[in-house]
Amino acid sequence: REGAKPPAHPHHHGHSVNWVLVVDHLEAWDADGSTGLGWEVQGWLGTDEHRAWLRSAGEREGGHTEAADVELLYGRPVSPWWDLVAGVRQETRPGPSRTWAAFGVMGMAPYKFEVEATAYVGEGGRVAAGMEAEYDVLLTNRLILQPVVELSWHGQDDTARGIASGFDSVEAGLRLRYEFTRRFAPYIGVVHERALGDTADLRRAEGEHVEDTRVVAGVRFWF
């Protein structure tokens, strides 16, 4: 009965400033005679209630940057497991550079799925959205299997980037990492990417691949 009582002094958010930077994916692959490099980075600076978030992802292949973006967001918790975020996104590849306003949520869904869902509004009334979900399967205390799924949607055709309206791409990855420490874990994995709908038709018309599967090796670390 005593254990079921609420605490006499409820928890208050701390006001100390902290930070963390997580290089979630830093990986390389060899496909079709050319090497590639991909990254996904996320970090924050602030207190329990107010945080500045930095997110970046991209790919290089054959010495050229195929995709790159960076987001700077303000985040505020709305529950013990979820944060609302808003800010700006800058895309430099593929095609012409674009700037977007970003609004979204990030946190942990039931059954411990890490989820990020973000909507974007760009120049000329362009709208887009992206969602990523990942889950850690603990095979042992150090060996962890991580499935990841990413889905992308655009509201209008963007021929300069080879993107059609609707759901345009999906990417699924499966990575197996070994945590020598919580801060450092090399991994191997496989990633499959596929264009969807009219975007797939655009790629076929240009003689490009609609889907791609690659084996990756990399490292995950954080400060």
Side-chain angles (χ1 to χ4, degrees), residues 25-219:
H25 300 149
L26 181 61
E27 59 196 29
W29 62 87
D30 190 349
D32 298 329
S34 65
T35 58
L37 174 70
W39 71 89
E40 187 170 324
V41 180
Q42 179 173 277
W44 59 265
L45 169 70
T47 67
D48 288 348
E49 293 185 283
H50 305 278
R51 291 180 178 178
W53 287 87
L54 174 69
R55 302 194 305 211
S56 178
E59 293 181 359
R60 286 178 58 83
E61 190 165 350
H64 302 283
T65 301
E66 300 293 333
D69 65 73
V70 62
E71 299 180 12
L72 184 60
L73 309 165
Y74 167 74
R76 185 173 173 83
V78 292
S79 79
W81 304 107
W82 293 96
D83 283 57
L84 287 179
V85 293
V88 63
R89 172 188 177 101
Q90 184 69 39
E91 290 182 343
T92 57
R93 294 289 189 279
S97 178
R98 297 203 188 283
T99 303
W100 305 79
F103 311 90
V105 296
M106 56 193 303
M108 183 174 290
Y111 305 104
K112 298 184 178 180
F113 283 88
E114 294 282 350
V115 175
E116 293 179 7
T118 314
Y120 304 98
V121 180
E123 300 170 1
R126 295 182 181 274
V127 292
M131 188 184 76
E132 177 179 328
E134 64 182 46
Y135 184 75
D136 283 349
V137 182
L138 274 67
L139 304 179
T140 71
N141 287 337
R142 294 182 181 271
L143 193 62
I144 299 170
L145 185 66
Q146 183 191 63
V148 181
V149 177
E150 299 179 40
L151 186 63
S152 176
W153 175 88
H154 281 76
Q156 297 87 11
D157 293 344
D158 191 347
T159 54
R161 291 175 176 263
I163 296 173
S165 61
F167 288 102
D168 55 88
S169 68
V170 61
E171 181 179 298
L174 191 64
R175 296 172 175 85
L176 180 66
R177 71 178 185 264
Y178 186 84
E179 294 188 342
F180 286 99
T181 71
R182 295 290 293 173
R183 293 174 179 261
F184 179 80
Y187 65 82
I188 58 173
V190 60
V191 177
H192 179 78
E193 181 182 1
R194 182 177 179 85
L196 304 175
D198 292 340
T199 299
D201 294 336
L202 288 176
R203 291 191 181 183
R204 291 188 187 98
E206 294 294 327
E208 299 179 2
H209 294 297
V210 174
E211 56 183 322
D212 177 57
T213 302
R214 57 185 183 266
V215 176
V216 300
V219 63

